Amino acid sequence: SSAASDVYKRQNQVWVSDITIFKFSDKYYYLCAIIGLFSRKIISYRISQSSSTQLLTKTFRQAYSERKTETGLMFHSNRGTQYIFYTFVRLLETLGVKQSLSLTGRPHDNAVSKAFFSILKNEELYRRHYKSEIDTIQGIHRFIDFYNNERPHSTLQKTPVQKEQKYWGKKKESSLE
């Protein structure tokens, strides 16, 4: 098998990210999500009223500290200003994370992130009538928990959490041999 396809067979090798916007009442909110390409799990996300580099940086730092990643992590995104801003690029360099950017005018290069946001909006945000900002944010938290733990992913035929548990179970078995 090729080296490129091997990347998808291991945990914490490629993360993809994007930022989407949604509205509640008359306010706009930004959701930054980081997704593990191997399991399609939403490994970190944050909601903010501004689409800033700080939103991205906090989301990335949370994922990185929780995941205790091995070396060789690649972080893929579009060319949004937050992703190419000096402080974020420098953070990735400092941590030894390779940055990958979609080609200009090629949104399908970041299809996994786009697909997740489409699912979130179509299965949650557009279907519910929220009573408050807190209700909206709690709805997103509940949906991401459902997405990771209960909703089988069409590509995987299992949930993202099941995919990760199977991976870590096999890893333990092979280390015992």
Side-chain angles (χ1 to χ4, degrees):
S1 72
S2 72
S5 65
D6 287 346
V7 166
Y8 305 111
K9 294 179 182 156
R10 296 195 353 250
Q11 186 72 287
N12 293 325
Q13 290 298 293
V14 180
W15 292 352
V16 298
S17 179
D18 203 354
I19 297 171
T20 195
I21 187 170
F22 63 94
K23 189 177 179 182
F24 174 76
S25 192
D26 59 348
K27 288 184 189 167
Y28 287 97
Y29 297 87
Y30 298 88
L31 169 63
C32 176
I34 297 176
I35 303 169
L37 197 56
F38 171 78
S39 67
R40 304 301 205 266
K41 183 178 182 191
I42 310 309
I43 55 178
S44 181
Y45 67 96
R46 284 180 175 265
I47 299 165
S48 172
Q49 286 189 1
S50 69
S51 179
S52 64
T53 303
Q54 188 178 24
L55 169 64
L56 169 60
T57 301
K58 284 182 175 180
T59 308
F60 182 83
R61 285 185 184 279
Q62 178 186 346
Y64 195 83
S65 70
E66 287 177 8
R67 283 298 173 127
K68 313 276 188 274
T69 64
E70 303 162 29
T71 57
L73 174 63
M74 180 184 293
F75 185 81
H76 180 78
S77 69
N78 61 22
R79 294 177 179 272
T81 54
Q82 306 85 343
Y83 294 99
I84 59 175
F85 194 71
Y86 175 79
T87 52
F88 184 71
V89 172
R90 187 79 191 105
L91 171 65
L92 295 181
E93 287 171 357
T94 303
L95 297 172
V97 175
K98 183 179 186 327
Q99 187 171 30
S100 165
L101 298 167
S102 297
L103 296 173
T104 304
R106 299 269 303 268
H108 57 274
D109 282 358
N110 205 7
V112 171
S113 294
K114 300 276 183 229
F116 167 70
F117 286 142
S118 176
I119 290 165
L120 169 70
K121 289 176 177 180
N122 290 320
E123 294 183 15
E124 178 66 28
L125 293 176
Y126 299 159
R127 286 191 176 186
R128 304 221 193 276
H129 180 73
Y130 299 105
K131 295 168 183 61
S132 67
E133 174 184 348
I134 290 168
D135 188 31
T136 307
I137 291 168
Q138 287 174 338
I140 292 169
H141 291 312
R142 275 192 309 274
F143 184 81
I144 290 175
D145 184 61
F146 167 77
Y147 181 89
N148 282 337
N149 292 288
E150 296 175 48
R151 184 187 187 280
H153 192 280
S154 59
T155 305
L156 308 172
Q157 304 302 315
K158 57 180 63 113
T159 70
V161 166
Q162 288 170 333
K163 175 81 171 172
E164 289 193 352
Q165 287 170 339
K166 185 176 180 190
Y167 173 83
W168 291 115
K170 280 186 176 174
K171 200 129 168 95
K172 271 190 198 133
E173 286 171 22
S174 67
S175 68
L176 295 175
E177 292 169 4

